[in-house]
Amino acid sequence: MLKRIWLLFFCLFLPLSAQQITLQSPSGILKLNFILDQGRPYYQVYRFNEILIDSSRLGFVLKKQPPLDANFKITDLTTDSVDQTWEQVWGEAAKIRNHYNQLIVRLQEKSGLQRRLYIVFRVYDDGIGFRYQLPDQKNLKQFEIMDERTEFNFTHDYSAWWIKAYQWNRYEYLYQNSPLSQIDTVHTPFTMEGNDGLAISIHEASLTDFASMTLARTGRYKLEADLVPWSDGVKVKAQTPMISPWRTIQIAETPGDLITSYLILNLNEPNKLKDVSWIKPGKYVGIWWEMHIGKSTWSSGPKHGATTENTKKYIDFAAKYGFDGVLVEGWNTGWDGDWIKNGEKFNFTTPYPDFDIKQLTAYARKKGVQLIGHHETGGSVLNYEAQMEDAFRFYQKLGIHIVKTGYVAHGREIKRIDENGQVQYEMHHGQFMVRHYRKVVETAAKYHIMLDVHEPIKDTGIRRTYPNMMTREGARGQEFNAWSADGGNPPEHTVILPFTRLLAGPMDFTPGIFDIMLSEYRPNNRVNTTLAKQLALYVIIFSPLQMAADLPENYEAHRDAFQFIIDVPVDWEETRVLHARIGDYVTIVRKDRHSDDWYLGSITDEHGRILKAPLYFLDQNRKYMAEIYRDGDHADWQSAPLDYFIEKKIVDANTVLTLRLAPGGGTAIRFYPIEK
């Protein structure tokens, strides 16, 4: 109450044309100013009293109504301070501290319709989140948003990493690096770095029944929220009461600190699922990579991959090495012909004749393994929604608790029937599909099914609220190395992802390819890393469901290196970053949630590196065995990708390891205690 009175008192002594309210982060690192200038709302952001974001507008433009961005007065202010710790069902850290100061500004138009708009600000030491609330009110019931005024008016021409929005292949593009002043319209997370190493990332949290946000550059250093529209041009169709997603600005001393910022998760609602005993992270193998390299096909016929006989081989392999699941793609009818254009032909409960799903689920169960289901929609969400309940119920009866979904369709190709019975085509990332993706998550939870979503809506932290939403794609993954005409993912791709896409949440990148050259099936393509880097990706790229993506015979051929994939966990107690330079290199260490083991992954771009890794994170007064999987002395991603060396060393918390990373290479290490 005292703080609230102080804020109101502060406002009264400003000029009548402008009012300013200041809110600081718990440790005073960040400061937010809310400004009402001649009835228009703005905000500013400072770090250690240096301005990072200058006056930036707030509000909405509505259809057939005056805009909600001016003519306001402040009717009330409330503040709060929160410091709590919550535990993840699974994640990159077991416990998350949620520590912020909050300001709610309640605005009302001074004349006319006298509509009300509330803005909620939360200021953390590592960033800021703010969202809009439109309460139930007489003069604003149902409405359509045509534009969001939210601006991010930066004061410097930061170096930026980005992928362009509104492209035919959704999020699946290589990141570009340019000055902020040269970008166009981009997806989020959108990451920038200053000359002093300060790192900033703009994204959103708790995207629920709203259009996803892209960022359009509207001034030299100024960005504006650009919402993905419906086919009729409307951005959001809503009614009061309405709550928008959080607009998030993560601000870190170094790029590595962005990786261990949990602001996005903190801004989501707590877990809504009462029983989470069925949610179990794990590793899997599957019938997937062999289709991408052309060994087999999704469609039926002589090269069909999803056969009973072939699936049993994968089940046997999974059981032999302790994997939790076997993914099978191409098992259900609908894959024949051009399935991308004919997604309405998919049937999600009818297997091809050469795939005995009941026999296979029973066979897997006896081996201590489960099948992982697959629902490719080809972007035909109407067909999928018509079958969804039956499809999940079908899997539940068989004892299948993980499903991978897919939405392969390009550009604006999501078919919708409007209120007049007319066919419309929507984008993957507009409000129509945001609603669909959430419906799938909630329906899957009803049947105790975990999800791995490909061609998804971007992650905005709803895994906190629905922890059955395990992982998703949402960027260029491993499969581009198998067939992409541009030569696949260059070595720098995976040293950009941790600072961009992975800030949103887990990614099913599908690491672990040992047959680097693909010479038997794809002689014109290859994986652009060393084998050791493929191992390190299991630590670098977090996912609670991790695939060992290569063919079983390729793992048997390198059984010694395969041991790291067998050992590495997917659920972590703690995560730390030892080295971080966006697009150049990164070293991450994670502690297993279910043992005292630590794991290290270190990767580089096309340039070799020598990095010093202090092991301060290990327990004091304890010795550890370090099992090191590193690039060999002659390793090079181009000329000698299979040159690797495995060694063991006794280490402790005072040890400093020298990591020698070959060009396009990496190092993976398991540390386990040998003394108490």
Side-chain angles (χ1 to χ4, degrees):
M1 180 62 70
L2 288 175
K3 185 181 287 187
R4 176 181 173 183
I5 292 172
W6 179 86
L7 288 171
L8 290 171
F9 180 80
F10 185 75
C11 289
L12 292 173
F13 281 83
L14 289 170
L16 292 177
S17 61
Q19 296 169 291
Q20 177 176 300
I21 304 100
T22 296
L23 184 70
Q24 291 190 332
S25 68
S27 298
I29 296 171
L30 298 181
K31 180 177 72 174
L32 177 136
N33 288 334
F34 172 79
I35 301 166
L36 192 65
D37 188 357
Q38 297 183 352
R40 293 185 180 274
Y42 299 85
Y43 75 97
Q44 298 172 322
V45 177
Y46 290 76
R47 187 173 189 271
F48 290 120
N49 293 319
E50 178 184 352
I51 190 164
L52 299 182
I53 299 178
D54 209 343
S55 295
S56 300
R57 290 187 64 180
L58 299 161
F60 293 107
V61 175
L62 306 183
K63 186 176 183 179
K64 297 180 180 179
Q65 292 192 48
L68 266 173
D69 65 350
N71 188 36
F72 285 121
K73 63 181 179 180
I74 297 173
T75 61
D76 190 29
L77 299 168
T78 57
T79 62
D80 195 9
S81 294
V82 172
D83 188 2
Q84 58 187 202
T85 298
W86 57 278
E87 186 168 351
Q88 296 201 80
V89 175
W90 51 264
E92 58 274 72
K95 294 182 179 179
I96 305 290
R97 187 182 185 190
N98 190 19
H99 192 195
Y100 62 86
N101 290 331
Q102 177 173 283
L103 167 67
I104 301 177
V105 181
R106 293 177 174 85
L107 303 172
Q108 184 173 340
E109 290 175 310
K110 292 181 286 188
S111 58
L113 296 174
Q114 297 185 337
R115 295 165 299 176
R116 289 173 288 151
L117 172 67
Y118 302 162
I119 308 174
V120 183
F121 296 95
R122 290 183 183 175
V123 183
Y124 296 77
D125 286 333
D126 62 347
I128 289 170
F130 60 90
R131 76 189 321 177
Y132 301 96
Q133 295 181 353
L134 289 168
D136 187 25
Q137 50 194 294
K138 181 177 68 174
N139 291 328
L140 189 61
K141 295 295 184 182
Q142 291 189 329
F143 59 96
E144 295 180 335
I145 297 174
M146 301 304 294
D147 194 16
E148 182 177 329
R149 290 290 198 204
T150 303
E151 293 178 341
F152 305 87
N153 186 17
F154 289 97
T155 57
H156 294 87
D157 198 8
Y158 294 107
S159 182
W161 283 264
W162 51 277
I163 52 174
K164 195 171 182 179
Y166 299 108
Q167 302 302 295
W168 69 272
N169 210 22
R170 306 165 306 276
Y171 305 123
E172 297 180 32
Y173 290 90
L174 295 174
Y175 281 86
Q176 300 183 54
N177 177 217
S178 73
L180 170 61
S181 59
Q182 295 178 16
I183 72 164
D184 190 354
T185 302
V186 298
H187 280 299
T188 70
F190 172 69
T191 300
M192 299 175 288
E193 185 179 9
N195 293 332
D196 57 356
L198 185 73
I200 302 171
S201 184
I202 304 175
H203 191 42
E204 56 184 318
S206 192
L207 174 57
T208 301
D209 199 12
F210 212 79
S212 72
M213 180 183 73
T214 71
L215 298 170
R217 186 170 62 85
T218 57
R220 191 177 181 196
Y221 309 148
K222 184 187 293 185
L223 305 174
E224 183 175 322
D226 186 56
L227 304 179
V228 176
W230 289 76
S231 52
D232 60 5
V234 173
K235 302 296 180 69
V236 176
K237 302 183 180 188
Q239 62 184 28
T240 54
M242 184 210 81
I243 301 176
S244 79
W246 294 92
R247 281 45 188 117
T248 63
I249 310 164
Q250 290 167 281
I251 304 169
E253 185 75 22
T254 68
D257 293 333
L258 286 177
I259 296 173
T260 53
S261 167
Y262 302 112
L263 182 146
I264 303 294
L265 281 175
N266 277 326
L267 289 170
N268 277 264
E269 297 299 316
N271 175 19
K272 287 187 176 182
L273 306 182
K274 295 180 180 179
D275 175 19
V276 295
S277 61
W278 52 275
I279 299 176
K280 300 181 185 299
K283 289 177 290 190
Y284 66 101
V285 296
I287 301 172
W288 175 78
W289 185 247
E290 64 180 66
M291 279 89 92
H292 281 287
I293 62 177
K295 179 184 178 182
S296 63
T297 62
W298 284 277
S299 60
S300 63
K303 293 177 64 178
H304 189 210
T307 66
T308 300
E309 180 183 5
N310 195 29
T311 304
K312 283 185 176 180
K313 292 178 182 177
Y314 278 87
I315 291 171
D316 291 343
F317 180 80
K320 179 180 178 180
Y321 292 111
F323 284 82
D324 302 284
V326 175
L327 168 70
V328 184
E329 296 196 5
W331 70 273
N332 60 309
T333 58
W335 288 95
D336 297 338
D338 190 347
W339 56 268
I340 297 177
K341 292 183 178 179
N342 299 293
E344 70 278 358
K345 294 183 178 180
F346 281 117
N347 186 295
F348 301 105
T349 56
T350 304
Y352 279 114
D354 58 355
F355 186 79
D356 190 334
I357 192 168
K358 291 183 179 179
Q359 180 190 142
L360 287 168
T361 51
Y363 183 79
R365 191 177 303 113
K366 289 180 181 179
K367 296 268 186 171
V369 178
Q370 68 166 306
L371 289 186
I372 296 176
H374 186 236
H375 290 163
E376 174 55 59
T377 69
S380 182
V381 301
L382 299 181
N383 177 54
Y384 187 39
E385 289 191 2
Q387 300 183 59
M388 192 189 307
E389 290 273 353
D390 289 340
F392 284 140
R393 189 182 300 113
F394 176 73
Y395 276 147
Q396 184 190 47
K397 288 181 179 179
L398 290 168
I400 293 173
H401 297 290
I402 305 173
V403 174
K404 176 181 177 181
T405 62
Y407 297 84
V408 178
H410 301 153
R412 181 182 281 161
E413 292 186 356
I414 306 296
K415 185 178 178 180
R416 173 179 71 92
I417 306 299
D418 68 16
E419 57 275 10
N420 299 315
Q422 300 298 310
V423 174
Q424 306 294 342
Y425 290 93
E426 305 297 341
M427 295 183 183
H428 272 73
H429 309 138
Q431 187 180 17
F432 175 73
M433 283 299 286
V434 169
R435 289 172 174 173
H436 168 77
Y437 288 118
R438 182 61 60 88
K439 181 178 181 180
V440 176
V441 173
E442 293 175 350
T443 306
K446 176 181 174 182
Y447 292 99
H448 285 192
I449 287 176
M450 297 170 275
L451 289 174
D452 171 5
V453 183
H454 281 231
E455 296 79 43
I457 189 67
K458 61 188 175 182
D459 194 348
T460 61
I462 69 156
R463 58 192 169 109
R464 180 184 179 188
T465 313
Y466 296 96
N468 67 310
M469 180 58 254
M470 305 292 284
T471 190
R472 64 188 85 196
E473 188 187 36
R476 276 180 61 136
Q478 185 83 267
E479 68 273 15
F480 277 79
N481 292 319
W483 41 253
S484 182
D486 63 5
N489 301 323
E492 71 170 8
H493 182 58
T494 46
V495 287
I496 295 174
L497 287 176
F499 308 98
T500 51
R501 159 65 184 85
L502 286 163
L503 297 181
M507 180 182 177
D508 187 29
F509 182 82
T510 60
I513 301 302
F514 282 11
D515 181 21
I516 300 291
M517 302 310 295
L518 308 177
S519 53
E520 183 177 355
Y521 300 105
R522 296 282 189 180
N524 296 322
N525 283 84
R526 55 156 298 167
V527 177
N528 301 312
T529 72
T530 66
L531 187 148
K533 183 173 181 178
Q534 287 293 308
L535 298 180
L537 292 177
Y538 284 90
V539 181
I540 298 296
I541 298 179
F542 169 63
S543 179
L545 299 175
Q546 282 280 27
M547 187 179 197
D550 210 342
L551 310 183
E553 56 264 35
N554 294 329
Y555 291 131
E556 296 284 12
H558 299 280
R559 177 61 184 81
D560 54 351
F562 185 49
Q563 186 63 44
F564 184 82
I565 300 178
I566 295 171
D567 291 336
V568 67
V570 296
D571 191 15
W572 305 101
E573 180 74 24
E574 184 179 352
T575 293
R576 301 189 189 188
V577 180
L578 303 187
H579 311 107
R581 199 155 78 189
I582 305 174
D584 292 336
Y585 55 82
V586 62
T587 305
I588 297 176
V589 292
R590 304 187 196 267
K591 186 179 185 296
D592 180 20
R593 192 167 182 175
H594 305 288
S595 75
D596 291 331
D597 296 359
W598 284 82
Y599 289 79
L600 177 148
S602 185
I603 61 174
T604 183
D605 60 2
E606 69 275 15
H607 301 293
R609 312 276 179 190
I610 300 292
L611 302 176
K612 300 291 185 180
L615 307 185
Y616 66 89
F617 51 87
L618 298 177
D619 290 346
Q620 294 289 335
N621 304 316
R622 210 172 188 188
K623 297 290 185 182
Y624 289 78
M625 182 63 72
E627 293 181 345
I628 303 170
Y629 301 75
R630 64 171 176 82
D631 293 315
D633 293 342
H634 303 289
D636 184 286
W637 73 275
Q638 291 179 301
S639 60
L642 297 182
D643 182 14
Y644 64 89
F645 188 76
I646 302 172
E647 59 184 331
K648 292 186 177 183
K649 291 182 179 179
I650 296 176
V651 299
D652 59 29
N654 298 314
T655 303
V656 178
L657 289 180
T658 298
L659 308 179
R660 182 184 183 277
L661 310 180
T667 295
I669 305 176
R670 176 194 179 193
F671 302 95
Y672 60 88
I674 56 176
E675 292 182 12
K676 291 185 177 180

